[in-house]
């Protein structure tokens, strides 16, 4: 069967995570349950730091995109590993600060930051605002002036690179709600405006070209275009851009055929691309920032469910229903995302049954995966779904008033509770 790094099968034929029996986890903490292998998360952090961190003799930074999984435990891990943090809402910022994340290492993203969020982030003295639009720029200037502060900013740019098509140069990318367009001159104009604001310090340029990307070409093309924009900004405003942020998007393995590339592979190609442009324009090399989210936490997580009823529709398909579903993992319902699952208590048996894994929500589209191969399942078995560490907990909802699962971290062979399971009382907490 397909085994992922950090997972194993023990002498009882049970799947283990970070060396701990998943059956014991299900017993101890209940299901559905998010389980994260903390050792694996740290390994992922280090592999990014060891590659991108080395860029140009240590001029690289790794920013964890916390939208992939934001809770206090995860913010603490990112802080301890020396990563910066990307937050995209007041709530993510609040969680990070509550976890004691150093505010100067926080980047604040978002295409529609509210005035309250901007004020909160300024007062918290975060490291950098990734400015999306001119309204935000104006607001930052006036708020920063009022508070007697300087807002350090990067500009969010649409580089016209769409990683999800093979037509990388599609101008259709102008049609995105994020940032300033490069090809229309909008980005350069924004830089000129920023240069005139006394309480705004233009430090960087930022782009993000997509998610779950395996190709390198779109990153290289984005790096070239952004470095060229750096040169134009320098020419037009005299400002030397110190930091080039190329966003996240590094793909991970969900199914057997996925072939993720090691971070150093991207780093070298990107470094070359930036180097060429900077030499051409006689510019100093900028610091390089990347913002992986999925690639830090995705493959470190699994979800454990208890299998309930199994419905065989002869000649059609077999539904294996679990005690969670789109509430804890909406990604198949939203994107038809690939997943691999295993019956955790029969992990050493052959996966030769083709089934559809269904959730318990009152909705036909509440599926985790269709026509996937797992071991012969029976009610009461524990099902593990791999690679659910990113965009599962963070995208969970209470649809059908189903409480959200607990999240357990396994560290050095021992589990600890990182997020408590929601109770029915939690569900009515704000009801009046
Ligand atoms: N930086 C920016 C500005 C982003 O918008 C994102 C993701 C990232 C970094 C991190 O991207 P990653 O390394 O995780 O691919 N909910 C979707 C993914 C949405 C990604 C949004 N932005 C999913 O479940 O696949």
């Amino acid at each position: 069967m397909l085994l992922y790094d950090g997972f194993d099968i023990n002498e009882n034929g049970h799947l283990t995570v970070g060396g701990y029996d998943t059956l014991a986890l299900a017993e101890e903490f209940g299901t559905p349950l998010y389980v994260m292998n903390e050792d694996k998360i740290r390994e992922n952090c280090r592999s990014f730091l060891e590659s991108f961190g080395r860029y140009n003799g240590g001029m690289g930074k790794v920013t964890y995109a916390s939208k992939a999984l934001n809770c206090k435990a995860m913010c603490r891990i990112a802080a301890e590993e020396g990563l910066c943090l990307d937050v995209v809402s007041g709530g993510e910022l609040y969680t990070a600060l509550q976890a004691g994340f150093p505010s100067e290492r926080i980047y604040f993203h978002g295409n529609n930051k509210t005035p309250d969020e901007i004020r909160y982030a300024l007062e918290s003295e975060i490291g950098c605002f990734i400015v999306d639009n001119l309204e935000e720029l104006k607001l930052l200037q006036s708020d920063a002036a009022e508070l007697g502060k300087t807002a350090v900013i990067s500009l969010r740019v649409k580089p016209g690179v769409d990683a999800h098509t093979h037509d990388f140069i599609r101008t259709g990318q102008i049609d995105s709600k994020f940032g300033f367009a490069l090809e229309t001159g909008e980005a350069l104009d924004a830089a000129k405006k920023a240069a005139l604001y006394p309480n705004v310090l233009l430090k960087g340029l930022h782009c993000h070209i997509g998610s779950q990307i395996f190709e390198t070409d779109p990153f290289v093309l984005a790096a070239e275009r952004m470095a060229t924009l750096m040169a134009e900004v320098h020419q037009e405003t005299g400002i030397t851009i110190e930091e080039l942020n190329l966003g996240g998007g590094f793909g991970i393995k969900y199914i057997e055929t996925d072939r993720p590339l090691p971070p150093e592979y991207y780093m070298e190609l990107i470094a070359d691309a930036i180097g060429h442009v900077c030499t051409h324009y006689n510019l100093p090399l900028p610091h390089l920032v990347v913002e992986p989210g999925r690639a830090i936490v995705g493959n470190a997580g699994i979800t454990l469910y208890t299998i309930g009823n199994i419905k065989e529709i002869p000649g059609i398909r077999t539904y294996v229903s679990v005690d969670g579903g789109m509430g804890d993992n909406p990604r198949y319902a939203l994107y038809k995302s690939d997943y691999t699952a295993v019956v955790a208590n029969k992990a050493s048996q052959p996966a030769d049954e083709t089934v559809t894994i269904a959730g318990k929500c009152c909705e036909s589209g509440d599926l985790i995966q269709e026509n996937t191969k797992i071991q012969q399942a029976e009610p009461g078995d524990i099902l593990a779904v791999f690679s659910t560490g990113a965009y599962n907990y963070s995208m969970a909802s209470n649809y059908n008033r189903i409480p959200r699962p607990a999240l357990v971290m396994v560290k050095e062979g021992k589990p600890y509770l990182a997020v408590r399971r929601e109770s029915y009382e939690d569900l009515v907490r704000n009801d009046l």
Side-chain angles (χ1 to χ4, degrees), residues 122-427:
L122 271 173
E123 283 171 347
S124 309
E125 311 211 309
I126 62 148
C128 185
F129 288 84
I130 312 283
V131 173
D132 177 271
N133 56 73
L134 293 178
E135 274 311 304
E136 183 185 340
L137 191 62
K138 250 192 268 167
L139 198 55
L140 263 177
Q141 164 56 32
S142 60
D143 256 20
E146 217 177 291
L147 295 170
K149 294 182 188 289
T150 299
V152 176
I153 68 160
S154 268
L155 294 177
R156 168 82 187 241
V157 177
K158 302 183 242 194
V161 177
D162 182 351
H164 294 296
T165 73
H166 291 288
D167 177 11
F168 299 142
I169 318 153
R170 256 181 20 152
T171 49
Q173 264 310 92
I174 290 176
D175 184 8
S176 157
K177 70 171 182 170
F178 298 105
F180 301 99
L182 182 72
E183 58 260 60
T184 58
E186 203 184 21
L188 188 58
D189 282 347
K192 287 188 204 162
K193 289 210 167 69
L196 300 175
Y197 285 134
N199 295 72
V200 163
L201 179 70
L202 177 59
K203 172 174 134 179
L205 297 175
H206 173 282
C207 71
H208 170 77
I209 55 173
S211 201
Q212 185 60 2
I213 304 166
F214 292 119
E215 309 97 312
T216 52
D217 288 4
F219 281 104
V220 170
L221 188 55
E224 280 166 6
R225 290 189 177 180
M226 295 295 287
T228 307
L229 178 61
M230 267 177 42
E232 286 165 9
V233 170
H234 185 252
Q235 242 159 36
E236 299 280 327
T237 67
I239 294 174
T240 305
I241 295 291
E242 281 173 37
E243 193 168 284
L244 198 52
N245 186 332
L246 296 180
F250 309 95
I252 65 158
K253 181 166 169 169
Y254 285 98
I255 52 168
E256 186 69 75
T257 47
D258 288 337
R259 295 271 177 273
L261 295 167
E264 57 265 25
Y265 200 85
Y266 291 100
M267 197 280 272
E268 274 157 29
L269 294 168
I270 289 171
D272 270 1
I274 298 173
H276 280 133
V277 178
C278 286
T279 309
H280 180 77
Y281 290 100
N282 196 22
L283 275 181
L285 284 173
H287 288 262
L288 172 64
V289 186
V290 284
E291 288 172 341
R294 192 190 310 270
I296 297 291
V297 288
N299 67 353
I302 52 168
T303 308
L304 299 178
Y305 300 102
T306 301
I307 293 175
N309 90 73
I310 297 174
K311 199 167 281 177
E312 197 182 328
I313 308 175
I316 309 218
R317 64 164 109 192
T318 299
Y319 284 99
V320 171
S321 291
V322 295
D323 56 352
M326 65 189 293
D328 59 81
N329 181 359
R331 296 191 68 256
Y332 187 79
L334 277 174
Y335 320 119
K336 289 261 177 297
S337 306
D338 291 326
Y339 280 107
T340 304
V342 57
V343 178
N345 48 309
K346 299 174 179 165
S348 50
Q349 295 178 21
D352 50 12
E353 299 283 312
T354 301
V355 303
T356 288
I357 301 166
K360 64 185 262 93
C361 283
C362 196
E363 178 141 343
S364 312
D366 172 23
L367 304 173
I368 298 289
Q369 200 61 201
E370 289 180 274
N371 303 320
T372 188
K373 288 218 182 260
I374 61 168
Q375 293 73 10
Q376 179 96 48
E378 289 161 278
D381 282 343
I382 300 295
L383 188 82
V385 178
F386 286 106
S387 301
T388 58
Y391 303 112
N392 272 230
Y393 170 76
S394 64
M395 291 175 73
S397 78
N398 288 125
Y399 184 42
N400 289 173
R401 287 247 142 166
I402 296 171
R404 273 173 287 211
L407 188 150
V408 164
M409 293 268 182
V410 179
K411 182 184 186 186
E412 292 161 6
K414 290 203 180 61
Y416 70 91
L417 191 60
V419 182
R420 206 180 292 133
R421 181 178 302 283
E422 281 180 342
S423 63
Y424 288 154
E425 298 85 79
D426 289 331
L427 296 175

